[in-house]
């Protein structure tokens, strides 16, 4: 809970405000037939700061299941990470798909 003080002419009123956490978003990677496994692992390590073992595990999940949640973030962070992923993939000639979904 947050408290807010509202000042009026000669007095102050303290009111209690409900503070809600921002929505969380999943960053999801999708499998394709062109993007190499090595490239996906390197993206996960560089952009998402995943350790190599976690990056390999996530890449294998994407490969076997068709998609995987890479992480859960606030909207601005999720959007920035997804955009960086797509930009890097396109720069390297890969059609990798990365999307956001509400967690």
């Amino acid at each position: 809970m947050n408290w807010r003080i509202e000042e009026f002419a000669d007095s102050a009123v303290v009111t209690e405000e409900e503070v809600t956490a921002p929505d969380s978003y999943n960053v999801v990677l999708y499998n394709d037939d062109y993007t190499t496994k090595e490239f996906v692992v390197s993206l996960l390590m560089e952009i998402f700061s995943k350790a190599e073992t976690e990056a390999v595990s996530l890449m294998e999940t994407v490969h076997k299941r068709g998609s995987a949640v890479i992480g859960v973030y606030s909207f601005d962070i999720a959007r920035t990470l997804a955009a960086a992923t797509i930009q890097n993939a396109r720069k390297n000639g890969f059609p990798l798909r990365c999307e956001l979904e509400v967690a």
Side-chain angles (χ1 to χ4, degrees), residues 33-50:
D33 293 334
Y34 303 100
T35 307
T36 65
K37 292 179 179 183
E38 294 80 11
F39 183 76
V40 173
V41 169
S42 71
L43 277 180
L44 294 171
M45 292 172 62
E46 291 171 21
I47 295 174
F48 293 90
S49 301
K50 302 292 185 186

Side-chain angles (χ1 to χ4, degrees), residues 45-96:
M45 292 172 62
E46 291 171 21
I47 295 174
F48 293 90
S49 301
K50 302 292 185 186
E52 185 175 8
T53 54
E54 185 180 8
V56 169
S57 177
L58 285 166
M59 176 275 300
E60 287 295 336
T61 301
V62 170
H63 181 69
K64 291 176 184 172
R65 295 187 183 164
S67 67
V69 173
I70 303 308
V72 181
Y73 307 93
S74 66
F75 178 74
D76 288 335
I77 293 172
R79 180 179 58 181
T80 300
L81 293 172
T85 299
I86 293 168
Q87 182 179 29
N88 197 319
R90 297 305 175 273
K91 185 174 88 178
N92 287 281
F94 294 114
L96 184 64

